[in-house]
Amino acid sequence: MYVFSKYKDQYKANLRLALPVMLTQLGQILTQLADNLMVGRYGGEDPIPLAAVSFGGSVFFILFITAIGIALGMTPIVGELFAQGDRKRSAGLLQNGILFYTLLGIVVSLVQLAAIPLLYHLGQPTEVVDAAIPYYRMLVFSLPFVMLFFAFKQFLEGVGNTKAELAATIIANIANVGFNWLFIYGHWGFSAMGAEGAGLGTLLSRGIATLLIIGYFYYQPRYREYFQYFSTRNYSWAVVRRLLHIGLPISLQMFLETSAFVGTGIMMGWLGKEAISAHQIAITLGNCAFMIVLSIGAATTIRVSHCYGKRNIPELSSAAHASLHLVLVWNAFAALMFILFRHQIPTLFTSNTEVIAITAELMIFAALYQLSDGLQNVSIGILRGIQDVKIIMPIAFVAYWLLNIPASYLFGFTFGMGPSGLFLGFSFGLSAAAVLLLFRIHRNLKILRARVG
């Protein structure tokens, strides 16, 4: 039976870690909102600029999130070592992570640049692709900066510091809005660049964020101390393999989940530029709700990894269950807001009546998958914390490629539901993922309790 007093301290501890991450995610989402609002207003009745940002951003996001997933593997390893007081091995992880993640960002960027001609073969309106490519190219150039940022960010999260990324992100996001004002609309003598201007603003702001977090790490004595353990002898394929051992399954899971969302976005393009624009607005709003989920998931990984390092299984179990409670409450609230304000919110992004009408319908179906989305993400955070990540990839394959994408196509085109049918597929994929992951967590907790006794 649920007893609030049993979890009260766990809620506080999880939220204490989650709040800075939450504000960081809020900053990133506000940047995305600013991009979409400013580009949407720049286009006015013309849906092409917003559709270009949607399409270019969606295609970029597939490999972007795959690379980010690999970087997320650092946090639980550092968290376990931090709980055990092993700074030397932690420093070795950071040193290898800086080099490996930055090189990975460069390689992935080259792949994305080489893929530009393929954008014309995804069934999108030609004028949308023409406008999307300059925006897409700017995002690609930003990826090495992002990967270097994540090397420091994930290390700091592993030692329980979620505030540094908050400060860096807030400053960078304020700069991004300023860059948007200059480059999208063409103020202070700059040419009006529209969607490409939003991409340029993102590139510059990501560079600023990277410089800020490196500066923070260097000028804080308790973190600069890790540099004394840096040595050319630390570079090791064995360390990189360990980072990949945790990061690669996370990356593949994120790729499979993201591909379902991006695949839906591409299928939206088959229904016209109005559908693409509506999809972009609905997904942006969904991301606003999801930022809280990501924050709770990140805090859960940190707390669980620290408990796991100390082999404190009762505390680990309580922290995990507390996070599941928190995410259920939040996503129920988000779903309600989506339904109640589905007609008002889209008007902030566009004056196109058809886009507004489609978005209002999509928000109802976005509300349907909120609870499942929250549960599956926090469940992955729990599994990351105990370094049981191999299972999440096959679960993602079943949930998103065998259920989600086929269901979206079936409802959207075979049953003629259009954009709403495409969104309905998410409920099937995310629900399947949530159920399977929760079963895995239950099994793991039982095994861990038996081992510790």
Side-chain angles (χ1 to χ4, degrees), residues 189-253:
F190 290 95
S191 300
M193 299 171 66
E196 184 180 9
L200 178 57
T202 299
L203 167 61
L204 294 174
S205 65
R206 285 175 174 172
I208 289 171
T210 303
L211 291 174
L212 288 172
I213 201 165
I214 292 173
Y216 173 85
F217 198 96
Y218 181 79
Y219 286 106
Q220 286 292 319
R222 68 181 184 276
Y223 300 122
R224 189 171 65 241
E225 187 179 347
Y226 284 97
F227 287 136
Q228 72 181 358
Y229 297 110
F230 277 28
S231 166
T232 54
R233 294 190 299 271
N234 287 341
Y235 290 115
S236 165
W237 178 240
V239 176
V240 173
R241 273 203 311 268
R242 190 177 183 201
L243 290 171
L244 283 171
H245 176 75
I246 302 298
L248 193 57
I250 297 170
S251 171
L252 291 173
Q253 176 271 329

Side-chain angles (χ1 to χ4, degrees), residues 273-285:
K273 51 185 178 286
E274 289 78 13
I276 307 176
S277 296
H279 171 262
Q280 178 66 7
I281 296 170
I283 287 294
T284 300
L285 295 171

Side-chain angles (χ1 to χ4, degrees), residues 97-163:
I98 290 170
L99 178 62
F100 174 56
Y101 296 150
T102 304
L103 289 175
L104 179 64
I106 294 170
V107 170
V108 173
S109 295
L110 292 174
V111 172
Q112 289 181 311
L113 289 173
I116 286 177
L118 298 177
L119 301 186
Y120 286 101
H121 300 282
L122 296 175
Q124 308 302 300
T126 302
E127 64 270 25
V128 171
V129 181
D130 288 340
I133 287 175
Y135 174 74
Y136 171 84
R137 192 177 284 117
M138 292 294 179
L139 297 182
V140 170
F141 292 149
S142 75
L143 185 53
F145 296 106
V146 173
M147 294 305 294
L148 181 56
F149 175 85
F150 265 78
F152 287 92
K153 171 183 175 294
Q154 298 311 127
F155 182 90
L156 289 169
E157 284 189 7
V159 300
N161 183 340
T162 56
K163 294 179 180 177

Side-chain angles (χ1 to χ4, degrees), residues 43-371:
E45 285 288 333
D46 182 5
I48 289 178
L50 188 56
V53 169
S54 173
F55 177 61
S58 295
V59 175
F60 167 77
F61 197 69
I62 298 177
L63 290 182
F64 169 79
I65 202 65
T66 304
I68 293 299
I70 292 176
L72 296 181
M74 180 184 285
T75 301
I77 304 173
V78 172
E80 182 183 10
L81 294 175
F82 176 75
Q84 297 170 353
D86 194 336
R87 292 194 174 189
K88 187 174 181 179
R89 288 174 64 197
S90 297
L93 280 168
L94 175 61
Q95 184 179 342
N96 281 272
I98 290 170
L99 178 62
F100 174 56
Y101 296 150
T102 304
L103 289 175
L104 179 64
I106 294 170
V107 170
V108 173
S109 295
L110 292 174
V111 172
Q112 289 181 311
L113 289 173
I116 286 177
L118 298 177
L119 301 186
Y120 286 101
H121 300 282
L122 296 175
Q124 308 302 300
T126 302
E127 64 270 25
V128 171
V129 181
D130 288 340
I133 287 175
Y135 174 74
Y136 171 84
R137 192 177 284 117
M138 292 294 179
L139 297 182
V140 170
F141 292 149
S142 75
L143 185 53
F145 296 106
V146 173
M147 294 305 294
L148 181 56
F149 175 85
F150 265 78
F152 287 92
K153 171 183 175 294
Q154 298 311 127
F155 182 90
L156 289 169
E157 284 189 7
V159 300
N161 183 340
T162 56
K163 294 179 180 177
E165 64 191 76
L166 169 62
T169 302
I170 287 176
I171 295 171
N173 288 337
I174 292 172
N176 183 73
V177 173
F179 290 141
N180 280 354
W181 184 76
L182 289 176
F183 302 135
I184 292 176
Y185 300 113
H187 291 292
W188 286 5
F190 290 95
S191 300
M193 299 171 66
E196 184 180 9
L200 178 57
T202 299
L203 167 61
L204 294 174
S205 65
R206 285 175 174 172
I208 289 171
T210 303
L211 291 174
L212 288 172
I213 201 165
I214 292 173
Y216 173 85
F217 198 96
Y218 181 79
Y219 286 106
Q220 286 292 319
R222 68 181 184 276
Y223 300 122
R224 189 171 65 241
E225 187 179 347
Y226 284 97
F227 287 136
Q228 72 181 358
Y229 297 110
F230 277 28
S231 166
T232 54
R233 294 190 299 271
N234 287 341
Y235 290 115
S236 165
W237 178 240
V239 176
V240 173
R241 273 203 311 268
R242 190 177 183 201
L243 290 171
L244 283 171
H245 176 75
I246 302 298
L248 193 57
I250 297 170
S251 171
L252 291 173
Q253 176 271 329
M254 295 176 78
F255 167 78
L256 291 168
E257 181 180 354
T258 301
S259 64
F261 280 83
V262 173
T264 299
I266 290 172
M267 287 190 281
M268 285 287 182
W270 303 346
L271 299 170
K273 51 185 178 286
E274 289 78 13
I276 307 176
S277 296
H279 171 262
Q280 178 66 7
I281 296 170
I283 287 294
T284 300
L285 295 171
N287 288 342
C288 289
F290 194 61
M291 70 175 183
I292 306 295
V293 176
L294 283 174
S295 307
I296 296 172
T300 304
T301 297
I302 297 167
R303 293 235 33 232
V304 168
S305 68
H306 289 180
C307 294
Y308 183 68
K310 296 174 183 176
R311 298 303 186 262
N312 187 342
I313 307 308
E315 182 83 1
L316 187 158
S317 178
S318 296
H321 283 97
S323 288
L324 293 171
H325 300 162
L326 290 170
V327 82
L328 283 173
V329 171
W330 164 251
N331 280 108
F333 172 77
L336 181 62
M337 294 299 101
F338 281 7
I339 293 171
L340 291 178
F341 298 104
R342 64 187 183 277
H343 295 294
Q344 289 78 25
I345 296 175
T347 61
L348 300 174
F349 294 82
T350 182
S351 56
N352 187 297
T353 54
E354 185 176 354
V355 173
I356 292 170
I358 297 172
T359 305
E361 289 184 12
L362 292 182
M363 289 180 68
I364 295 175
F365 289 90
L368 292 178
Y369 65 73
Q370 288 302 303
L371 294 180

Side-chain angles (χ1 to χ4, degrees), residues 252-261 264 290 372-373 375-377 380 392-408 425-434 436-437:
L252 291 173
Q253 176 271 329
M254 295 176 78
F255 167 78
L256 291 168
E257 181 180 354
T258 301
S259 64
F261 280 83
T264 299
F290 194 61
S372 298
D373 201 13
L375 287 173
Q376 66 88 23
N377 185 269
I380 290 170
I392 64 176
M393 195 276 287
I395 288 176
F397 178 76
V398 171
Y400 303 119
W401 278 29
L402 297 186
L403 286 176
N404 193 329
I405 295 176
S408 290
F426 292 135
S427 296
F428 288 85
L430 292 167
S431 296
L436 293 171
L437 290 166

